[in-house]
Amino acid sequence: MITMEEAEIRSNIIKAMGHPVRLMMIDVLKDGTRSFSEIFSLFTLDKSTVSKHLLVLKEAGIVTSQKTGADMIYRLEVPCVTDFFGCVTAVIENNVRRQQVCLCKR
Amino acid sequence: MITMEEAEIRSNIIKAMGHPVRLMMIDVLKDGTRSFSEIFSLFTLDKSTVSKHLLVLKEAGIVTSQKTGADMIYRLEVPCVTDFFGCVTAVIENNVRRQQVCLCKR
DNA sequence: TGCCTTGTTGGTATTGTTACCAACAAGGCA
DNA sequence: TGCCTTGTTGGTAACAATACCAACAAGGCA
């Protein structure tokens, strides 16, 4: 079994992905780098809120940023995180299936 | 891009994995079913706390439970979630590598 | 230099999460 | 039935996460 320390390190990375806004950010960045203003324009959130979400992703090591001219460019550092979305979809589909079973039983 | 609704559904599942205790539970269950008392004995936590963590995993659809005799048996419903650990490890290793780069630069 | 754009940081209120203890419910067994 | 084991649920306190506004810092450009 994994140790508690190992589990804590892992959970920090997973926790960073566990917010709808940050998931959408990752989803957008999987197609290539994006500037702050591009990412900001996707949401109806304060710029400080967007900045802080990106900071969470950065601190987890999921994205990196680089100042380029006047813009801050964000990059998905570990694209494999998006592979996980397929499994999440499997969980969702399994949930739907089980719900249907429950409905049939009634 | 994924919708906000889709992102919220996905993030609920990911959030359920974003706690060290629940990660360890998933790690143990990947090798087969376990009873509540087996899982409980792995931690120095109140039984109510363990029960609530398992409830979070159940509500996300990651595990299921079944009463068997006097015991409650837990089962990992979607084993592919453990595939993700490999990617999390990649993130961790990348973080370590970048840290070394930073240290070299100084 | 002064101003504008672009992001980040600080402060704070609100909300969500987690852990404990206590009480309860369900079922096995003497 | 009475008691014990096994887990769950309710209550609550402590802590973490999130969103906003305001203020700030850095750099480009007139």
Side-chain angles (χ1 to χ4, degrees):
Chain A
M1 196 181 62
I2 61 172
T3 64
M4 197 61 186
E5 291 76 36
E6 179 65 23
E8 259 170 54
I9 295 168
R10 287 186 188 184
S11 73
N12 283 334
I13 293 162
I14 295 173
K15 228 182 288 182
M17 298 177 63
H19 190 286
V21 167
R22 294 196 292 266
L23 272 189
M24 289 177 77
M25 287 170 166
I26 291 170
D27 189 64
V28 164
L29 288 170
K30 78 170 193 294
D31 299 326
T33 61
R34 291 284 184 280
S35 69
F36 178 88
S37 57
E38 283 178 311
I39 297 168
F40 172 63
S41 68
L42 299 173
F43 304 98
T44 54
L45 289 169
D46 192 84
K47 59 183 175 171
S48 68
T49 303
V50 171
S51 179
K52 279 168 186 173
H53 277 303
L54 286 165
L55 182 63
V56 171
L57 291 175
K58 259 173 71 177
E59 286 180 340
I62 295 169
V63 307
T64 52
S65 66
Q66 191 177 10
K67 191 92 180 182
T68 308
D71 293 332
M72 186 65 87
I73 305 295
Y74 283 87
R75 200 174 95 88
L76 188 60
E77 190 68 19
V78 197
C80 69
V81 294
T82 60
D83 298 347
F84 184 51
F85 292 174
C87 179
V88 171
T89 305
V91 177
I92 294 165
E93 278 167 9
N94 193 44
N95 290 348
V96 171
R97 193 153 12 94
R98 282 194 297 129
Q99 247 177 348
Q100 284 173 343
V101 170
C102 288
L103 288 168
C104 290
K105 276 185 180 168
R106 273 169 208 159
Chain B
M1 195 183 64
I2 62 171
T3 64
M4 196 62 188
E5 291 75 38
E6 179 66 24
E8 260 172 54
I9 295 168
R10 288 185 188 183
S11 73
N12 282 333
I13 293 161
I14 295 173
K15 228 181 288 183
M17 297 177 64
H19 189 286
V21 168
R22 294 196 291 268
L23 273 188
M24 289 177 78
M25 287 170 166
I26 291 170
D27 190 65
V28 164
L29 287 170
K30 78 170 193 293
D31 298 327
T33 60
R34 291 283 184 280
S35 68
F36 177 88
S37 58
E38 282 177 312
I39 297 168
F40 171 64
S41 67
L42 299 174
F43 304 98
T44 53
L45 290 169
D46 192 84
K47 60 184 174 171
S48 68
T49 304
V50 171
S51 178
K52 279 168 186 171
H53 277 302
L54 286 165
L55 183 63
V56 171
L57 290 174
K58 258 172 72 176
E59 285 179 340
I62 295 169
V63 307
T64 51
S65 66
Q66 192 177 9
K67 191 91 181 184
T68 308
D71 293 332
M72 185 67 85
I73 304 296
Y74 283 86
R75 201 175 95 87
L76 187 60
E77 191 68 20
V78 197
C80 69
V81 294
T82 59
D83 297 347
F84 185 51
F85 292 174
C87 179
V88 171
T89 304
V91 177
I92 294 165
E93 279 167 8
N94 194 43
N95 290 349
V96 172
R97 190 150 17 92
R98 282 193 298 129
Q99 246 177 348
Q100 285 173 343
V101 169
C102 289
L103 288 168
C104 291
K105 275 184 183 169
R106 273 170 208 161

